[in-house]
Amino acid sequence: MKSFEISQSNSDRQTPKEKTEERLQAQAEIFADETLENSQDQTKILKYSAELSKIKDLDNLPPDLPKELVDLVQKHKSAYVNFLRQEKKLETSFIEENIKTYNEKFKLAITELRAKMPQKNPLMPRKQKLPEYLGAGGMSVVFRIEVDGKMYAAKFANFGAGGTNFDIKPLLRAKGIPHTAQLAAYSFEDNVIIMGLLPGKNAGSLAPEEAPMSMYKDDKIIQLIDTVIALDAHGIAIDPNPDNFMYDSVQGFSVLDYHLKNSHLNPDELSKEIIDLRRLLTERNFELLDHKDPDYEEKARAQKVEKYKFSLPLLVHFLSILREKYPHILVDWQKRNDWYKKNPPPPMTLGNMGEGGLDVSDLVDRSDVPKSPDLEPYLQKLEEMGF
C-alpha cells in the first residue's frame, strides 16, 4: 500500500496519488484519534505519526523501523485501509498546517530545550533547574521558550502522546476565547503543546503581602466569571486550583488549564465551578510553619486567624458580586448543594471515576473558624446573606 493509499492486488493496483508528508501524518493522527480511543496503541501511533508519514509502502516496510512500529503497522494495516476509504471525507487541513507551523517555527527551540534537560526522567519536576522552567502539575511540566521575539509556554505531558492528545481537545474548543491559554502548535513526536505565554503571576504563588485584599478589582472578578461562563458554553470545565490561573493588574485573570466537561454531569456544575472560584480569590500562600517549633500550636492558631481575616471579607465581597450580577448562579448552586446533601454520592473509587466523591459542602466550615472578635462580623454577614 504505497503512500498510505488503498492497495489492491498487484494486477489491479490503483495509481497512487502524491501526498505530502503533512497530509499522511494528519491521516495517521486522525486514524489514531477516531478509531483507537484511549488505548496504548493510540498513544503509540500518535507518537510515530511523523515517522509513519515517511513510509512509502506499508507492504514493504523499511528494514530499520523500530519493532514497536512494525508491530503496529502489521496489527492495524487492515483497519487503516478501511479507514482511508473515507479519504475524501477526511478534513486534514488544520492538522497539516499545524505540522508545518511546528516544524518550521518551534521544532528547533524544543530540540534545544530538550538538550538542556536531564537525560534521565527529564520531566520529573524535582529535577527541573533550568531558568526556562515555569512549573508542573499532576499531568504535565511547562517551560518557557522564545521564538521570533515572542514568549511561549511549552507543555510536556507526563503520559506521552496520549496525554498530549487529551490536552489538545479543550484547547481547540477554546480557540478565540479571551483570557485563556491559546494553542499555537503541537507535536505528538516531541510530546509537546505550544501555547502563548499568558501575562502576570501565577495566582497560586502569591503571598498575602503580594496580593492584598484590595488587589482584585471588581471588574477583574467579573471578567473571570464571564471567562468561566464562556468556557462552559464551549463544553469546557475549569479546575479551581489557584495554580491554574494567572493574574495581571492590567489584563486581569487568565485561565491556564482547563478540560472537556464530562457529558454525564448535570448542567448546574457551572454554578459549582463559579462558586469554587472563591479559592482563587481568597487563598494566599502563607508561610509554612515548622511543626517542630515548640510554639507551633500557638503560631498555627494565630496564622489561621490571619488566614480567615484575609479570606472571609473577600468571600463576602465575592458573594455580593454574584448576588448583584449573577443571582441565578447562587440559586443554581444552592439547589445543587441541597440536592446532594440529601442524596450524597458514593465515595470515589477506581470503578466510578468522575461519578463519586463530588464536593458538597457549605461555603465556610464554621467548626474550623477560630473564635475571634475580628471574624465574627463576617460570619454574621454570611448568615445574613443566607450562607
Side-chain angles (χ1 to χ4, degrees):
M1 187 171 69
K2 296 183 178 179
S3 296
F4 285 68
E5 288 289 359
I6 299 172
S7 175
Q8 300 178 4
S9 65
N10 289 336
S11 61
D12 191 26
R13 187 182 295 272
Q14 298 176 352
T15 303
K17 300 175 183 178
E18 286 297 322
K19 294 184 182 180
T20 64
E21 288 187 1
E22 290 85 2
R23 171 75 173 174
L24 296 173
Q25 183 176 340
Q27 289 177 339
E29 290 183 14
I30 294 174
F31 170 72
D33 185 58
E34 293 188 359
T35 66
L36 303 173
E37 186 175 1
N38 298 326
S39 68
Q40 291 185 354
D41 282 0
Q42 179 194 65
T43 297
K44 293 174 183 177
I45 289 179
L46 291 172
K47 180 179 73 173
Y48 285 118
S49 58
E51 196 162 351
L52 280 166
S53 72
K54 298 177 174 62
I55 298 175
K56 299 303 181 184
D57 188 348
L58 289 181
D59 293 323
N60 296 284
L61 300 177
D64 57 346
L65 287 184
K67 183 179 183 304
E68 184 177 54
L69 179 52
V70 172
D71 291 343
L72 283 170
V73 171
Q74 292 174 346
K75 181 178 180 180
H76 295 290
K77 183 168 65 174
S78 176
Y80 190 77
V81 169
N82 292 331
F83 179 78
L84 286 187
R85 295 189 190 282
Q86 311 172 54
E87 170 69 21
K88 293 181 181 179
K89 299 179 182 179
L90 293 179
E91 173 51 55
T92 64
S93 58
F94 166 77
I95 300 176
E96 292 180 60
E97 187 61 32
N98 168 73
I99 294 166
K100 290 180 181 178
T101 299
Y102 179 79
N103 289 334
E104 294 173 4
K105 186 172 182 178
F106 296 107
K107 188 171 182 63
L108 177 59
I110 295 301
T111 301
E112 292 174 346
L113 175 62
R114 278 193 171 277
K116 300 177 186 178
M117 293 181 184
Q119 294 302 305
K120 187 177 182 181
N121 299 322
L123 299 181
M124 187 174 291
R126 63 182 176 82
K127 290 195 171 188
Q128 304 306 328
K129 299 179 181 179
L130 298 178
E132 294 92 341
Y133 176 65
L134 291 176
M139 301 180 68
S140 60
V141 181
V142 184
F143 297 84
R144 180 193 304 108
I145 61 171
E146 182 175 356
V147 177
D148 297 336
K150 185 177 178 179
M151 303 305 295
Y152 295 88
K155 179 179 181 181
F156 295 88
N158 290 332
F159 298 103
T164 298
N165 190 44
F166 178 85
D167 287 341
I168 287 169
K169 304 295 177 64
L171 286 166
L172 293 174
R173 287 200 192 181
K175 182 179 179 181
I177 298 179
H179 308 292
T180 66
Q182 293 289 296
L183 178 67
Y186 66 88
S187 169
F188 292 122
E189 182 181 24
D190 290 339
N191 184 34
V192 66
I193 296 174
I194 311 295
M195 299 168 286
L197 192 65
L198 294 170
K201 290 186 176 182
N202 187 281
S205 66
L206 295 174
E209 59 272 15
E210 293 179 285
M213 285 187 284
S214 60
M215 178 174 174
Y216 297 151
K217 306 300 182 185
D218 287 10
D219 63 323
K220 300 298 188 291
I221 296 174
I222 291 170
Q223 167 232 299
L224 170 64
I225 296 169
D226 288 342
T227 300
V228 175
I229 292 174
L231 288 169
D232 178 80
H234 286 73
I236 299 169
I238 63 160
D239 178 344
N241 189 321
D243 289 334
N244 291 325
F245 298 83
M246 301 291 286
Y247 182 76
D248 179 80
S249 59
V250 176
Q251 298 295 326
F253 291 97
S254 297
V255 187
L256 282 173
D257 195 27
Y258 43 84
H259 55 274
L260 296 183
K261 293 174 64 177
N262 291 325
S263 58
H264 67 276
L265 291 182
N266 294 330
D268 59 4
E269 288 304 303
L270 172 62
S271 65
K272 179 181 182 300
E273 287 185 25
I274 291 177
I275 292 294
D276 282 350
L277 291 174
R278 69 188 190 275
R279 288 186 55 193
L280 166 64
L281 298 173
T282 65
E283 289 184 10
R284 296 295 184 274
N285 191 19
F286 279 78
E287 177 188 1
L288 187 63
L289 299 178
D290 184 0
H291 286 261
K292 297 179 182 180
D293 189 326
D295 298 325
Y296 171 75
E297 290 189 10
E298 182 181 345
K299 290 181 178 179
R301 185 190 182 284
Q303 187 181 78
K304 181 177 282 191
V305 171
E306 290 302 311
K307 287 182 177 181
Y308 276 109
K309 283 170 64 176
F310 201 96
S311 65
L312 288 179
L314 287 171
L315 177 59
V316 169
H317 185 64
F318 174 52
L319 294 173
S320 298
I321 292 175
L322 289 178
R323 189 162 62 174
E324 179 183 354
K325 302 287 186 180
Y326 309 89
H328 62 288
I329 294 294
L330 290 177
V331 171
D332 290 345
W333 178 83
Q334 194 64 63
K335 288 180 180 178
R336 174 197 181 279
N337 223 36
D338 292 343
W339 190 91
Y340 278 119
K341 283 183 178 180
K342 294 177 182 177
N343 305 273
M348 184 176 290
T349 66
L350 290 177
N352 69 349
M353 291 293 286
E355 298 175 9
L358 291 170
D359 179 22
V360 183
S361 62
D362 293 320
L363 288 178
V364 177
D365 180 3
R366 283 170 167 75
S367 66
D368 183 63
V369 180
K371 296 292 183 182
S372 170
D374 295 325
L375 305 179
E376 287 301 324
Y378 300 107
L379 292 174
Q380 184 177 345
K381 181 64 176 177
L382 286 171
E383 286 191 20
E384 292 172 358
M385 297 174 72
F387 300 101

